[in-house]
Short mmCIF file of all heavy atoms in Angstrom, two decimals:
data_model
loop_
_atom_site.label_atom_id
_atom_site.label_comp_id
_atom_site.label_asym_id
_atom_site.label_seq_id
_atom_site.Cartn_x
_atom_site.Cartn_y
_atom_site.Cartn_z
N GLY A 1 48.21 -88.61 40.06
CA GLY A 1 49.54 -88.83 39.93
C GLY A 1 50.60 -87.58 40.02
O GLY A 1 51.85 -87.66 39.80
N GLU A 2 49.91 -86.42 40.34
CA GLU A 2 50.82 -85.17 40.48
C GLU A 2 50.78 -84.80 41.95
O GLU A 2 49.68 -84.85 42.60
CB GLU A 2 50.21 -84.10 39.57
CG GLU A 2 50.58 -84.38 38.17
CD GLU A 2 50.38 -83.15 37.31
OE1 GLU A 2 49.28 -82.75 36.92
OE2 GLU A 2 51.42 -82.34 37.01
N ALA A 3 51.86 -84.13 42.36
CA ALA A 3 51.96 -83.60 43.87
C ALA A 3 51.47 -82.24 43.87
O ALA A 3 51.95 -81.35 43.04
CB ALA A 3 53.38 -83.75 44.31
N PHE A 4 50.71 -81.98 44.92
CA PHE A 4 50.20 -80.54 45.13
C PHE A 4 50.60 -80.18 46.55
O PHE A 4 50.51 -80.96 47.47
CB PHE A 4 48.72 -80.58 44.90
CG PHE A 4 48.31 -80.63 43.53
CD1 PHE A 4 48.23 -81.78 42.85
CD2 PHE A 4 48.00 -79.52 42.76
CE1 PHE A 4 47.76 -81.95 41.56
CE2 PHE A 4 47.52 -79.64 41.52
CZ PHE A 4 47.40 -80.88 40.84
N LEU A 5 50.82 -78.87 46.82
CA LEU A 5 51.08 -78.44 48.12
C LEU A 5 50.56 -76.91 48.17
O LEU A 5 50.09 -76.33 47.18
CB LEU A 5 52.60 -78.48 48.42
CG LEU A 5 53.54 -77.52 47.55
CD1 LEU A 5 54.94 -77.47 48.32
CD2 LEU A 5 53.68 -77.87 46.02
N HIS A 6 50.71 -76.35 49.42
CA HIS A 6 50.29 -75.02 49.46
C HIS A 6 51.11 -73.95 48.52
O HIS A 6 52.19 -74.14 48.45
CB HIS A 6 50.51 -74.51 50.94
CG HIS A 6 49.87 -73.15 51.29
ND1 HIS A 6 50.29 -72.05 50.85
CD2 HIS A 6 48.69 -72.99 52.07
CE1 HIS A 6 49.51 -71.12 51.30
NE2 HIS A 6 48.46 -71.62 52.09
N GLY A 7 50.33 -73.02 47.98
CA GLY A 7 51.01 -72.18 47.03
C GLY A 7 52.14 -71.40 47.42
O GLY A 7 53.19 -71.11 46.84
N GLU A 8 52.02 -70.93 48.75
CA GLU A 8 53.28 -70.06 49.22
C GLU A 8 54.38 -70.92 49.33
O GLU A 8 55.54 -70.57 49.10
CB GLU A 8 52.81 -69.51 50.53
CG GLU A 8 51.79 -68.23 50.42
CD GLU A 8 52.28 -67.26 49.52
OE1 GLU A 8 53.47 -67.03 49.49
OE2 GLU A 8 51.41 -66.54 48.88
N MET A 9 54.22 -72.28 49.81
CA MET A 9 55.41 -73.10 49.89
C MET A 9 55.99 -73.39 48.56
O MET A 9 57.16 -73.48 48.36
CB MET A 9 54.96 -74.35 50.65
CG MET A 9 56.15 -75.17 51.28
SD MET A 9 56.92 -74.24 52.44
CE MET A 9 58.52 -75.22 52.66
N ALA A 10 55.16 -73.66 47.56
CA ALA A 10 55.45 -73.95 46.22
C ALA A 10 56.39 -72.69 45.68
O ALA A 10 57.42 -72.91 45.10
CB ALA A 10 54.33 -74.15 45.36
N ARG A 11 55.87 -71.56 45.90
CA ARG A 11 56.63 -70.24 45.42
C ARG A 11 57.98 -70.12 46.06
O ARG A 11 59.08 -69.77 45.49
CB ARG A 11 55.82 -68.98 45.58
CG ARG A 11 54.76 -68.88 44.56
CD ARG A 11 54.14 -67.40 44.72
NE ARG A 11 53.08 -67.34 45.67
CZ ARG A 11 51.82 -67.62 45.52
NH1 ARG A 11 51.48 -67.97 44.29
NH2 ARG A 11 50.93 -67.73 46.56
N PHE A 12 57.97 -70.29 47.47
CA PHE A 12 59.11 -70.38 48.25
C PHE A 12 60.25 -71.36 47.62
O PHE A 12 61.45 -70.93 47.37
CB PHE A 12 58.97 -70.59 49.70
CG PHE A 12 60.26 -70.85 50.45
CD1 PHE A 12 61.19 -69.84 50.71
CD2 PHE A 12 60.33 -72.02 51.09
CE1 PHE A 12 62.24 -70.20 51.42
CE2 PHE A 12 61.32 -72.22 52.05
CZ PHE A 12 62.35 -71.31 52.16
N MET A 13 59.93 -72.45 47.42
CA MET A 13 60.92 -73.60 46.99
C MET A 13 61.19 -73.29 45.49
O MET A 13 62.43 -73.47 45.09
CB MET A 13 60.33 -74.83 47.13
CG MET A 13 60.34 -75.31 48.67
SD MET A 13 60.02 -77.01 48.80
CE MET A 13 58.32 -77.31 48.15
N ALA A 14 60.36 -72.77 44.57
CA ALA A 14 60.71 -72.33 43.36
C ALA A 14 61.77 -71.21 43.17
O ALA A 14 62.77 -71.32 42.51
CB ALA A 14 59.47 -71.93 42.62
N GLU A 15 61.63 -70.37 44.16
CA GLU A 15 62.55 -69.26 44.26
C GLU A 15 63.88 -69.85 44.77
O GLU A 15 65.00 -69.34 44.38
CB GLU A 15 62.07 -68.16 45.02
CG GLU A 15 63.01 -66.87 45.20
CD GLU A 15 62.41 -65.78 45.88
OE1 GLU A 15 61.34 -65.76 46.37
OE2 GLU A 15 63.36 -64.77 46.14
N CYS A 16 63.85 -70.54 45.76
CA CYS A 16 65.15 -71.27 46.30
C CYS A 16 65.89 -72.06 45.11
O CYS A 16 67.24 -71.74 45.02
CB CYS A 16 64.82 -72.39 47.39
SG CYS A 16 64.39 -71.72 48.86
N CYS A 17 65.14 -72.65 44.12
CA CYS A 17 65.78 -73.26 43.12
C CYS A 17 66.45 -72.34 42.20
O CYS A 17 67.57 -72.40 41.54
CB CYS A 17 64.71 -74.10 42.37
SG CYS A 17 64.22 -75.64 43.23
N ARG A 18 65.72 -71.15 41.92
CA ARG A 18 66.14 -70.24 40.95
C ARG A 18 67.39 -69.47 41.58
O ARG A 18 68.39 -69.00 40.86
CB ARG A 18 65.17 -69.03 40.71
CG ARG A 18 64.02 -69.39 39.89
CD ARG A 18 63.13 -68.46 39.44
NE ARG A 18 62.54 -67.59 40.55
CZ ARG A 18 61.26 -68.03 40.81
NH1 ARG A 18 60.71 -68.99 40.43
NH2 ARG A 18 60.75 -67.26 41.96
N CYS A 19 67.57 -69.43 42.96
CA CYS A 19 68.85 -68.90 43.55
C CYS A 19 69.90 -69.78 43.46
O CYS A 19 71.11 -69.43 43.61
CB CYS A 19 68.53 -68.68 45.19
SG CYS A 19 67.43 -67.28 45.54
N GLY A 20 69.80 -71.01 42.91
CA GLY A 20 70.92 -71.97 42.78
C GLY A 20 70.91 -73.10 43.74
O GLY A 20 71.82 -73.85 43.70
N MET A 21 70.01 -73.16 44.70
CA MET A 21 70.01 -74.29 45.60
C MET A 21 69.57 -75.66 44.98
O MET A 21 68.55 -75.42 44.05
CB MET A 21 69.21 -73.98 46.82
CG MET A 21 69.55 -72.74 47.62
SD MET A 21 68.39 -72.49 48.98
CE MET A 21 68.32 -70.76 48.97
N SER A 22 70.00 -76.72 45.43
CA SER A 22 69.45 -78.07 44.97
C SER A 22 68.49 -78.37 46.15
O SER A 22 69.00 -78.72 47.23
CB SER A 22 70.52 -79.04 44.85
OG SER A 22 69.96 -80.37 44.51
N VAL A 23 67.11 -78.38 45.96
CA VAL A 23 66.21 -78.50 47.03
C VAL A 23 65.55 -79.79 47.12
O VAL A 23 64.98 -80.37 46.03
CB VAL A 23 65.14 -77.32 46.77
CG1 VAL A 23 64.13 -77.35 47.87
CG2 VAL A 23 65.78 -75.93 46.88
N GLY A 24 65.45 -80.23 48.30
CA GLY A 24 64.53 -81.43 48.66
C GLY A 24 63.48 -80.97 49.69
O GLY A 24 63.74 -79.97 50.38
N TYR A 25 62.37 -81.61 49.71
CA TYR A 25 61.34 -81.28 50.52
C TYR A 25 60.86 -82.58 51.37
O TYR A 25 60.23 -83.46 50.74
CB TYR A 25 60.23 -80.78 49.68
CG TYR A 25 59.01 -80.28 50.44
CD1 TYR A 25 59.00 -79.59 51.52
CD2 TYR A 25 57.71 -80.54 49.82
CE1 TYR A 25 57.97 -79.04 52.16
CE2 TYR A 25 56.46 -79.93 50.51
CZ TYR A 25 56.63 -79.30 51.71
OH TYR A 25 55.55 -78.82 52.31
N ALA A 26 61.05 -82.61 52.67
CA ALA A 26 60.65 -83.61 53.47
C ALA A 26 59.38 -83.17 54.27
O ALA A 26 59.31 -82.21 55.05
CB ALA A 26 61.68 -83.87 54.59
N THR A 27 58.27 -83.97 54.02
CA THR A 27 56.87 -83.55 54.60
C THR A 27 55.99 -84.81 54.56
O THR A 27 56.42 -85.89 54.12
CB THR A 27 56.33 -82.49 53.57
OG1 THR A 27 55.09 -81.97 54.33
CG2 THR A 27 55.90 -83.01 52.31
N ILE A 28 54.85 -84.58 55.10
CA ILE A 28 53.86 -85.72 55.20
C ILE A 28 53.11 -85.73 53.91
O ILE A 28 52.71 -84.60 53.43
CB ILE A 28 53.00 -85.32 56.43
CG1 ILE A 28 53.59 -85.29 57.76
CG2 ILE A 28 51.80 -86.46 56.45
CD1 ILE A 28 54.26 -86.66 58.10
N VAL A 29 52.89 -86.80 53.38
CA VAL A 29 52.10 -87.11 52.27
C VAL A 29 50.68 -87.46 52.67
O VAL A 29 50.53 -88.65 53.33
CB VAL A 29 52.73 -88.06 51.27
CG1 VAL A 29 51.73 -88.26 49.98
CG2 VAL A 29 54.04 -87.61 50.83
N LEU A 30 49.64 -86.84 52.44
CA LEU A 30 48.23 -87.17 52.95
C LEU A 30 47.44 -87.64 51.58
O LEU A 30 47.66 -87.23 50.42
CB LEU A 30 47.59 -85.86 53.28
CG LEU A 30 48.13 -85.14 54.69
CD1 LEU A 30 47.25 -83.95 54.88
CD2 LEU A 30 48.03 -86.28 55.84
N GLU A 31 46.53 -88.53 51.86
CA GLU A 31 45.55 -89.03 50.89
C GLU A 31 44.63 -87.63 50.75
O GLU A 31 44.37 -86.93 51.62
CB GLU A 31 44.76 -90.17 51.42
CG GLU A 31 45.62 -91.38 51.53
CD GLU A 31 44.76 -92.41 52.14
OE1 GLU A 31 43.53 -92.34 52.13
OE2 GLU A 31 45.34 -93.50 52.59
N GLU A 32 43.96 -87.67 49.57
CA GLU A 32 43.17 -86.48 49.21
C GLU A 32 42.10 -86.35 50.14
O GLU A 32 41.72 -85.18 50.55
CB GLU A 32 42.58 -86.55 47.82
CG GLU A 32 41.98 -85.30 47.34
CD GLU A 32 41.71 -85.39 45.87
OE1 GLU A 32 41.96 -86.37 45.29
OE2 GLU A 32 41.07 -84.31 45.26
N LYS A 33 41.39 -87.36 50.69
CA LYS A 33 40.29 -87.26 51.66
C LYS A 33 40.77 -86.65 52.99
O LYS A 33 40.07 -85.97 53.65
CB LYS A 33 39.61 -88.70 51.85
CG LYS A 33 40.48 -89.68 52.53
CD LYS A 33 39.72 -90.92 52.69
CE LYS A 33 40.67 -91.95 53.44
NZ LYS A 33 39.98 -93.28 53.53
N LEU A 34 42.16 -86.88 53.33
CA LEU A 34 42.48 -86.29 54.61
C LEU A 34 42.90 -84.79 54.40
O LEU A 34 42.76 -83.92 55.25
CB LEU A 34 43.75 -87.06 55.11
CG LEU A 34 43.51 -88.30 55.83
CD1 LEU A 34 44.82 -89.08 56.15
CD2 LEU A 34 42.73 -88.05 57.17
N GLU A 35 43.44 -84.64 53.21
CA GLU A 35 43.75 -83.16 52.94
C GLU A 35 42.68 -82.25 52.99
O GLU A 35 42.84 -81.14 53.39
CB GLU A 35 44.34 -83.16 51.45
CG GLU A 35 44.88 -81.80 51.08
CD GLU A 35 44.10 -81.10 49.99
OE1 GLU A 35 43.44 -81.75 49.21
OE2 GLU A 35 43.91 -79.88 50.03
N LYS A 36 41.43 -82.53 52.69
CA LYS A 36 40.24 -81.77 52.89
C LYS A 36 39.88 -81.38 54.30
O LYS A 36 39.33 -80.31 54.52
CB LYS A 36 39.07 -82.44 52.32
CG LYS A 36 39.08 -82.72 50.71
CD LYS A 36 37.89 -83.52 50.24
CE LYS A 36 38.04 -83.67 48.71
NZ LYS A 36 36.92 -84.53 48.24
N THR A 37 40.60 -82.04 55.35
CA THR A 37 40.32 -81.83 56.70
C THR A 37 41.59 -81.14 57.37
O THR A 37 41.58 -80.75 58.52
CB THR A 37 39.83 -82.94 57.54
OG1 THR A 37 40.78 -83.93 57.50
CG2 THR A 37 38.57 -83.59 56.95
N ARG A 38 42.68 -81.18 56.63
CA ARG A 38 44.00 -80.71 57.24
C ARG A 38 44.69 -79.68 56.55
O ARG A 38 45.39 -78.91 57.25
CB ARG A 38 44.85 -81.97 57.39
CG ARG A 38 44.42 -83.03 58.38
CD ARG A 38 45.57 -83.94 58.48
NE ARG A 38 45.01 -85.20 59.43
CZ ARG A 38 45.85 -85.96 59.88
NH1 ARG A 38 47.22 -85.97 59.82
NH2 ARG A 38 45.40 -86.98 60.66
N ASN A 39 44.68 -79.56 55.25
CA ASN A 39 45.67 -78.81 54.67
C ASN A 39 45.16 -78.14 53.24
O ASN A 39 44.28 -78.86 52.59
CB ASN A 39 46.99 -79.74 54.26
CG ASN A 39 47.94 -79.00 53.71
OD1 ASN A 39 48.59 -78.08 54.29
ND2 ASN A 39 48.41 -79.41 52.59
N LEU A 40 45.70 -77.10 52.86
CA LEU A 40 45.28 -76.51 51.56
C LEU A 40 46.47 -76.81 50.62
O LEU A 40 47.67 -76.44 50.81
CB LEU A 40 45.22 -74.95 51.72
CG LEU A 40 45.05 -74.19 50.41
CD1 LEU A 40 43.86 -74.57 49.61
CD2 LEU A 40 44.96 -72.72 50.64
N ALA A 41 46.20 -77.65 49.59
CA ALA A 41 47.19 -78.05 48.56
C ALA A 41 46.64 -77.57 47.19
O ALA A 41 45.75 -78.17 46.59
CB ALA A 41 47.39 -79.46 48.60
#
C-alpha cells in the first residue's frame, strides 16, 4: 500500500518541495515482480 521509488529521485523531489514547489510526479507504476527486473525502488 505504499509507493516506493529510487532514492535519488525521492531526495530530489523532497528538496523541490522544500524550495516551495507544489510537485507532481508522472511515471510508470510497476508491479513488484516487474520492478525486480527493471528498476531500483
